[in-house]
Amino acid sequence: MIEKKLKRNANKIDKFLINFLNKQKKSSLVSPMKYGVISGGKKIRSTIIFDSGKIFRLKEKKLINICAAVECIHSYSLIHDDLPCMDNDALRRGKPSTHKKFGEATAVLAGNSLLTLAFEIISDDKNLLSNYQKNEIIRLLANCSGHTGIAGGQELDLKFENKSKSLKQIIEMQKNKTGKLFNFCLQSAAIIAKKSKKEKLFFGKIGEQIGLLFQLADDFLDLKGSKKLAGKPTKKDKKKGKSTLISIIGYENASKYAYNLKKKILLNLKKHGKNTKDLTDTVNFILNRKY
Ligand code: GRG
């Protein structure tokens, strides 16, 4: 059921991105950019934006630019994450990673171009939001992606390799590396729904917790998952000396931590009352996912 929903949403975002890129001037980076962002990946961040939109009864046409922008940032982070100077992975989404297919320099530039494309997509005239909302969303996305978000988290992830770190330090790093983009997904829907500052922060916090849960599930996949289903190498965290919850408290305790985190997220969502079923289903999928 949820798998079908993910596929349906992924197709919508792919169509949007193809259309958007087709309207732009052609360049030789379009092909590696498309390779990195279209026809691959779960596009679960977009589904979470649509699910959050349901809570506020928002129409999908008001959300689609935000979804496409998030997927550009996410794919950019994966392209760069796979580079030899980062996690050095040759396989992504069941295909050679972008630098393996197009070369390192092109992969760096395609990643950078996806980053800037995200902001073009949000500020586009055809995006139905007000300029005020676009500005607030651009500011939030930049904040969640840069040194206070994904990039900052990635820096710590690399620095923490083969170091002894506390539970608190690892959770903080994972909340930035992975959680901040999920924070953006929920908070941007609250911005579009014109919610109060308090509510926007409340939803952002839930997003960050969902992101942490997503990262924990990713760590479980690395330990126990199948390379074929995940479409990327598994069993590499231990070899690389990655600091994860599993590395410091063990698999059993990390599983308990994740289960309790999921309970906390669902309880918080319940507090918000109606229309949270879709997001609840997606959160349940996250912890059990095999890909
Ligand atoms: C500033 C955006 C930006 C990037 C530069 C390289 C880097 C800094 C950050 C990497 C962050 C990273 C790889 C986090 C891991 C998040 C994660 C669990 C990714 C897997 O996401 P899925 O499963 O992937 O949604 P698919 O393939 O389904 O899209």
Side-chain angles (χ1 to χ4, degrees), residues 41-42 45 74 76-77 81 93 145 154 178 214-215 218:
K42 297 175 284 300
R45 291 155 190 79
H74 166 60
Y76 149 53
S77 79
D81 189 52
R93 296 170 174 166
S145 305
Q154 174 77 352
T178 309
F214 190 86
Q215 182 58 55
D218 216 64

Side-chain angles (χ1 to χ4, degrees), residues 40-45 71-82 86-87 92-93 115 144-147 149-155 158 176-178 181-182 211 214-215 218-219 221 230 232 289 291:
K42 297 175 284 300
K43 301 215 159 57
I44 196 162
R45 291 155 190 79
E71 298 302 342
C72 287
I73 300 273
H74 166 60
S75 290
Y76 149 53
S77 79
L78 298 183
I79 293 172
H80 281 201
D81 189 52
D82 291 337
M86 301 259 178
D87 275 356
R92 173 69 66 184
R93 296 170 174 166
L115 166 69
C144 290
S145 305
H147 71 103
I150 311 176
Q154 174 77 352
E155 168 77 355
L158 297 168
N176 280 324
K177 183 181 83 154
T178 309
L181 206 52
F182 286 83
F214 190 86
Q215 182 58 55
D218 216 64
D219 297 342
L221 269 184
K232 60 183 180 182
R289 70 195 177 93
Y291 65 102

